[in-house]
Amino acid sequence: MGDGSSATGGNRGLTGGNSNNNTSGSSNKPQWLQQYDLIGKIGEGTYGLVFLARTKSPANRGKSIAIKKFKQSKDGDGVSPTAIREIMLLREISHENVVKLVNVHINHVDMSLYLAFDYAEHDLYEIIRHHRDKVNQNINPYTVKSLLWQLLNGLNYLHSNWIIHRDLKPSNILVMGEGEEQGVVKIADFGLARIYQAPLKPLSENGVVVTIWYRAPELLLGAKHYTSAVDMWAVGCIFAELLTLKPLFQGAEVKATPNPFQVDQLDKIFKVLGHPTLEKWPTLANLPHWQQDIQRIQGHKYDNHGLHGFVHLSPKSLAYDLLSKMLEYDPRKRITAAQALEHEYFRMEPLPGRNALVPSQGEKVVNYPTRPVDTTTDFEGTASLQPTQPVSSGNAVSGNMQGAHGVTGRSVPRPMLGMQRMQPQGMTAYNLTSQAGMGSGMNPGGIPMQRGVTAQAHQQQQLRRKDPGMGMSGYPPQQKPRRM
Amino acid sequence: MADFQTSTHKAKWILTHQQLVDKYKVANQNAIQTLEKYGATLMEVDADGSLSYPEPQVNAKDNADKHSRPKPLNIEEEQFMRVFYENKLQEVCNNFHFPHKIQATALIYFKRFYLLWSVMQHHPKNIMLTCIYAACKIEENHVSAEELGKGISQDHQMILNYEMIIYQSLEFDLIVYAPYRSVEGFINVMEEFCGDNDDQLLVLKNLHEAAKMEVDKIMLTDAPLIFPPGQLALAALRSSNEVHRVVDFERYSRSILSRQNSEHAISKLVESLNEIDSWVRRYKFPSEKDLKHINRKLKSCWGLSSHDESKKREKKSKHKSRKSSNETENMA
């Protein structure tokens, strides 16, 4: 795929990179890492960590890169399936509104994978939060429409390639910062994405998907087979959130069991959209939780308050018409990405544009904050409060990072809320030279120590997951506005 | 991803016959060079998935006279070895009752891996098992390495050690298109083509089954490295149809071509199908005698000719310095 290793070019470079030799001692870093200056950590999630780095190669000097590090999967499971799946999907796709993989690196010390993407300064989570908490003003209509259009454009590409994203939420929708691609939307984080033509098992066996606030009703009711329509439901939720700066269906998640059946979430949906009926949604009767939980779900009576009231739109507006078609209960009637792109809403002024952040004329430009960077964390995901001794510790990154950027190891990390996303990507040609390395050259102290470090980081992540603030929502609980 | 047209499979892994020949030649040459340099060819894979060269064998290096040095496999013998283990691969998948798709994916991984390496460098048994493991992971039919190892009484750690090397060698191009789904598609078209009375449907079902078996055969040849899955599927259908006589195949092919608005002229297509058929006809499974002979040679190439020696190697390898897989790549 455009990386120059065509069939004829052969397999050159696939095991590329090298840890040069184990005797040089001049540098402790594996070669693939030497291409980058590490700036710091910008995100983390269940999969691992995301770092901001800059390339050093003369051609792209200073170019910002987001490096997503997957932690090793549990013992005996080999290479992380999430990482492998994300890589294999990203290798096959290419679209302006989808992140693109720039490079894959292998860290042999702990068998972890590092994916390099072009860096995106913003995401919808931060943009919405900025408007809600700092600007106290809605996002301007041009920006909302442009963001939505580009999101649909990327999603239409994915769906026509038989990929369901399955985890769309504001923090996974990235927006490029200053530069040639400013204001361009990039759909990111394909760790849960699936190809849906002829899966060998029903898709529901892949575990619970989608952050609950953006989870489609058929998933909440336990559908065994579901379709790309689940992504469109999530887009509807995101659209509403762009308009109101608040999550539309803010259910409280029952985390005890990994169960897709979330009563509170259904409750929130029914309160806004009214009760689903068999007339409107004939296959409803076949959904497991609908049948099993007749009393709790079907027993409640909900008045239809009207979605338009919640999103402050006139029921006659085109925006409302599109939104209500995205939030259609029956997945078979729900609007598709392709149909949504043709919706009249996008043909009316203001017309959507490529730079979603900068309206063409008149309106004032909002300056969104840059992403907070935790400069105290190294590539191993461990805080390095003391500059580490490269040789003895085998810690490849911290020394370089501090040297190159004058970042003191003692700087206080800024709070990072809702950091669980990965960064994107761009127009760079594929350069998938996966770089082996880190052999003994990096770690003269021996592998066991490194493993210990990794295990520790791993543990920390597990702990963090239990913290509600770091949970799926990303919103601190106390900020939940209750409207009903 | 349904789109083969924009896939890495199409862009990078459909070779011309000459490219295939060249790759096998290069892989063979690399192994021979390693043999000359180190006296053995088998790469060692460590628990962290890095590769290292064989330990130079003292007698091989010092009295490097041609008689004492192990004889390398030639390209045909390598081919036999791959054929043998590809059959094993199908066997293992059948024993586990894995779906066809997994078997096909594992086979394609195995074939692609040995475009880069010689069986002299990586034991095909290890590669075969790891390819199955990887295919299960990719096709969302996850089986733990332990379970897989147990099922065939093999050490599963070896599978985990090799996993990353496989992904690297495949350049992380892990989505592959097997012909089974194409066969299904063509059968669907035939249903429309034939009309849908019940007799016809039964006949078509038989044809479908026969074609799947035919694909199984094609998958054991090198044809999947040269032809796109749609053509492999059509070739399988055509030869099954010669037995079952369900449709006028030429008329059917023409209707398909007009449907797909393909630039392939019918004669071009027929030429490809004939070539695929000839790959199946030329397919040769090694005789017992061949296998014995090749195995003996292989063992000495691997540096495992005597039990004692292999033990010594194991011990040594703990102390020796590791080299990166990149350096191996430069050799490869």
Side-chain angles (χ1 to χ4, degrees):
Chain A
M1 293 184 65
D3 60 351
S5 51
S6 63
T8 36
N11 299 316
R12 240 80 279 261
L14 67 150
T15 46
N18 74 61
S19 58
N20 32 56
N21 43 64
N22 31 13
T23 51
S24 86
S26 61
S27 166
N28 215 15
K29 285 181 296 180
Q31 180 142 25
W32 76 262
L33 237 169
Q34 291 177 27
Q35 306 170 39
Y36 304 109
D37 287 326
L38 180 80
I39 311 301
K41 186 177 78 171
I42 49 174
E44 73 180 282
T46 50
Y47 56 80
L49 302 168
V50 184
F51 300 94
L52 172 60
R54 296 201 213 288
T55 51
K56 292 198 281 193
S57 67
N60 287 309
R61 186 178 301 279
K63 187 175 162 58
S64 295
I65 296 287
I67 297 178
K68 183 174 182 178
K69 179 197 178 174
F70 286 90
K71 70 185 179 205
Q72 209 189 358
S73 66
K74 61 180 191 287
D75 258 1
D77 233 3
V79 180
S80 155
T82 317
I84 284 298
R85 245 176 247 133
E86 178 153 8
I87 296 171
M88 82 176 190
L89 282 171
L90 290 170
R91 287 288 286 153
E92 304 287 330
I93 57 187
S94 165
H95 188 269
E96 185 177 35
N97 298 120
V98 175
V99 293
K100 204 161 117 194
L101 192 60
V102 178
N103 225 325
V104 176
H105 305 288
I106 297 165
N107 180 4
H108 276 290
V109 172
D110 63 355
M111 283 280 245
S112 55
L113 285 164
Y114 291 76
L115 309 198
F117 300 94
D118 280 351
Y119 177 68
E121 191 64 79
H122 313 290
D123 60 61
L124 296 193
Y125 175 86
E126 292 294 344
I127 288 173
I128 290 167
R129 194 164 72 109
H130 184 68
H131 277 270
R132 187 187 58 221
D133 299 348
K134 297 279 156 55
V135 188
N136 286 319
Q137 194 184 4
N138 281 346
I139 305 173
N140 81 67
Y142 165 83
T143 297
V144 171
K145 194 181 281 189
S146 303
L147 292 172
L148 183 68
W149 192 88
Q150 293 188 39
L151 168 57
L152 287 166
N153 195 35
L155 199 58
N156 181 42
Y157 169 81
L158 294 177
H159 289 173
S160 55
N161 281 287
W162 306 92
I163 297 167
I164 318 182
H165 186 284
R166 308 205 307 177
D167 194 24
L168 290 178
K169 55 186 170 186
S171 60
N172 284 340
I173 315 298
L174 309 176
V175 182
M176 298 299 280
E178 270 175 40
E180 193 277 318
E181 284 200 285
Q182 188 186 25
V184 172
V185 168
K186 305 281 178 181
I187 300 174
D189 206 336
F190 287 76
L192 284 175
R194 290 295 181 278
I195 303 165
Y196 65 97
Q197 56 155 350
L200 295 172
K201 293 179 172 183
L203 285 170
S204 62
E205 287 183 27
N206 287 314
V208 180
V209 299
V210 183
T211 309
I212 64 163
W213 293 351
Y214 307 94
R215 198 179 291 170
E218 63 270 27
L219 293 180
L220 293 164
L221 290 167
K224 286 249 179 309
H225 294 281
Y226 52 87
T227 63
S228 53
V230 302
D231 285 341
M232 288 307 294
W233 179 274
V235 172
C237 298
I238 293 167
F239 184 17
E241 197 167 329
L242 286 170
L243 293 169
T244 65
L245 308 179
K246 284 190 297 278
L248 180 60
F249 306 124
Q250 214 169 353
E253 188 168 4
V254 183
K255 295 204 174 181
T257 51
N259 185 347
F261 183 47
Q262 299 280 350
V263 175
D264 191 54
Q265 185 63 28
L266 280 169
D267 197 55
K268 294 288 187 298
I269 295 171
F270 295 169
K271 271 182 183 152
V272 176
L273 298 179
H275 215 262
T277 60
L278 288 170
E279 289 134 53
K280 280 194 264 174
W281 186 0
T283 50
L284 183 61
N286 306 330
L287 296 174
H289 297 312
W290 179 258
Q291 292 177 326
Q292 286 158 19
D293 217 299
I294 286 180
Q295 285 207 314
R296 254 155 93 207
I297 315 176
Q298 302 186 34
H300 276 201
K301 278 278 164 278
Y302 298 93
D303 297 323
N304 190 346
H305 289 277
L307 170 64
H308 54 90
F310 284 91
V311 293
H312 320 296
L313 286 174
S314 152
K316 290 195 183 112
S317 68
L318 288 167
Y320 176 76
D321 185 70
L322 176 57
L323 176 64
S324 60
K325 285 174 172 154
M326 291 172 171
L327 297 175
E328 167 67 51
Y329 273 125
D330 188 342
R332 288 181 307 179
K333 294 183 196 153
R334 204 171 294 150
I335 196 169
T336 65
Q339 289 163 348
L341 287 167
E342 296 297 312
H343 194 276
E344 199 53 30
Y345 169 66
F346 294 116
R347 297 171 199 267
M348 299 290 289
E349 294 287 338
L351 294 174
R354 183 172 185 264
N355 185 344
L357 300 182
V358 180
S360 45
Q361 76 254 53
E363 291 166 79
K364 94 172 186 269
V365 177
V366 178
N367 286 312
Y368 295 103
T370 56
R371 218 172 267 288
V373 180
D374 172 3
T375 53
T376 63
T377 305
D378 62 41
F379 263 130
E380 295 303 313
T382 50
S384 55
L385 292 177
Q386 300 284 328
T388 42
Q389 301 284 312
V391 177
S392 62
S393 73
N395 188 315
V397 183
S398 52
N400 166 50
M401 155 189 154
Q402 286 154 3
H405 300 279
V407 179
T408 72
R410 286 179 188 81
S411 70
V412 180
R414 286 200 268 160
M416 297 192 301
L417 291 173
M419 291 281 218
Q420 35 170 348
R421 49 218 139 137
M422 83 189 214
Q423 313 318 318
Q425 204 38 263
M427 304 277 95
T428 346
Y430 261 126
N431 174 24
L432 201 109
T433 41
S434 30
Q435 315 225 321
M438 286 208 177
S440 40
M442 172 208 171
N443 181 16
I447 296 156
M449 189 209 68
Q450 278 298 335
R451 289 242 161 96
V453 170
T454 315
Q456 203 181 17
H458 188 104
Q459 214 169 34
Q460 282 168 359
Q461 275 155 18
Q462 302 259 313
L463 289 174
R464 276 191 203 104
R465 280 185 69 188
K466 289 180 187 140
D467 173 355
M470 287 303 293
M472 299 191 81
S473 67
Y475 285 82
Q478 67 273 17
Q479 288 185 352
K480 282 184 193 171
R482 298 259 164 191
R483 301 204 59 188
M484 47 214 90
Chain B
M1 251 143 308
D3 202 355
F4 175 76
Q5 293 308 315
T6 60
S7 65
T8 52
H9 188 151
K10 182 179 183 217
K12 291 168 60 189
W13 300 98
I14 299 291
L15 313 178
T16 64
H17 186 241
Q18 190 55 46
Q19 286 170 333
L20 188 66
V21 169
D22 292 345
K23 276 177 190 290
Y24 285 144
K25 205 188 250 164
V26 170
N28 181 259
Q29 280 303 318
N30 287 336
I32 290 173
Q33 276 174 23
T34 309
L35 185 65
E36 281 166 0
K37 207 163 157 193
Y38 298 96
T41 54
L42 196 62
M43 309 286 297
E44 294 193 17
V45 181
D46 290 293
D48 65 2
S50 61
L51 286 174
S52 50
Y53 281 110
E55 192 75 349
Q57 302 216 315
V58 185
N59 46 3
K61 229 183 172 182
D62 292 352
N63 14 310
D65 85 81
K66 290 231 161 164
H67 299 287
S68 64
R69 191 191 296 151
K71 296 256 182 310
L73 263 54
N74 62 36
I75 291 172
E76 198 195 6
E77 290 167 328
E78 290 177 322
Q79 171 82 25
F80 269 152
M81 223 48 212
R82 290 196 303 270
V83 163
F84 178 80
Y85 279 99
E86 287 185 12
N87 276 270
K88 278 269 175 256
L89 188 154
Q90 284 195 336
E91 237 174 77
V92 172
C93 288
N94 289 335
N95 289 344
F96 274 94
H97 302 292
F98 289 148
H100 269 82
K101 171 94 173 101
I102 286 183
Q103 191 184 106
T105 300
L107 272 173
I108 290 175
Y109 288 174
F110 186 89
K111 287 174 200 294
R112 289 184 184 178
F113 182 88
Y114 281 116
L115 290 174
L116 188 64
W117 302 101
S118 158
V119 291
M120 291 183 272
Q121 293 166 303
H122 294 285
H123 197 313
K125 183 181 75 189
N126 296 345
I127 300 307
M128 161 194 92
L129 292 174
T130 312
C131 286
I132 296 174
Y133 176 69
C136 286
K137 209 176 247 191
I138 297 306
E139 300 294 345
E140 303 197 14
N141 196 340
H142 191 68
V143 174
S144 77
E146 202 176 351
E147 212 179 316
L148 191 62
K150 251 187 212 153
I152 41 181
S153 5
Q154 295 289 331
D155 172 25
H156 72 273
Q157 188 55 46
M158 167 279 299
I159 294 177
L160 297 177
N161 292 356
Y162 264 106
E163 190 187 2
M164 196 66 99
I165 307 271
I166 301 257
Y167 295 143
Q168 277 179 276
S169 301
L170 302 177
E171 299 181 49
F172 289 94
D173 295 333
L174 301 172
I175 293 181
V176 300
Y177 295 79
Y180 299 100
R181 200 178 159 79
S182 314
V183 168
E184 233 170 87
F186 287 130
I187 291 279
N188 287 346
V189 174
M190 277 187 191
E191 273 173 32
E192 295 163 33
F193 195 73
C194 298
D196 53 355
N197 67 67
D198 288 352
D199 288 353
Q200 274 294 344
L201 286 182
L202 185 69
V203 173
L204 270 179
K205 200 165 169 253
N206 291 336
L207 179 67
H208 190 178
E209 288 309 311
K212 279 203 271 190
M213 311 249 289
E214 203 59 38
V215 172
D216 286 347
K217 281 194 222 163
I218 293 173
M219 288 306 292
L220 290 172
T221 70
D222 277 345
L225 296 171
I226 299 177
F227 299 95
Q231 291 183 16
L232 300 174
L234 262 188
L237 273 170
R238 188 178 71 167
S239 48
S240 311
N241 187 61
E242 272 159 28
V243 182
H244 290 254
R245 300 259 163 228
V246 180
V247 292
D248 173 347
F249 205 83
E250 203 191 318
R251 204 162 68 84
Y252 172 74
S253 311
R254 279 183 197 285
S255 87
I256 286 186
L257 285 184
S258 64
R259 215 180 252 258
Q260 297 193 332
N261 201 9
S262 166
E263 76 271 23
H264 274 270
I266 186 93
S267 61
K268 193 109 189 283
L269 179 68
V270 170
E271 200 181 298
S272 293
L273 300 192
N274 291 343
E275 273 179 60
I276 295 168
D277 284 352
S278 91
W279 275 98
V280 175
R281 269 199 314 277
R282 275 183 285 136
Y283 179 76
K284 229 166 97 192
F285 191 83
S287 70
E288 197 114 325
K289 198 174 141 224
D290 288 335
L291 277 174
K292 233 177 175 173
H293 176 69
I294 298 171
N295 264 319
R296 205 177 311 126
K297 276 175 91 173
L298 247 188
K299 276 201 180 128
S300 75
C301 288
W302 286 340
L304 304 175
S305 43
S306 95
H307 191 64
D308 287 350
E309 228 172 78
S310 72
K311 262 196 175 160
K312 227 189 291 166
R313 272 168 53 72
E314 231 166 70
K315 237 183 207 166
K316 269 192 205 161
S317 72
K318 287 197 180 138
H319 302 285
K320 95 193 128 60
S321 55
R322 224 178 287 127
K323 297 186 187 178
S324 77
S325 45
N326 178 58
E327 286 165 289
T328 41
E329 152 63 13
N330 292 340
M331 288 289 301

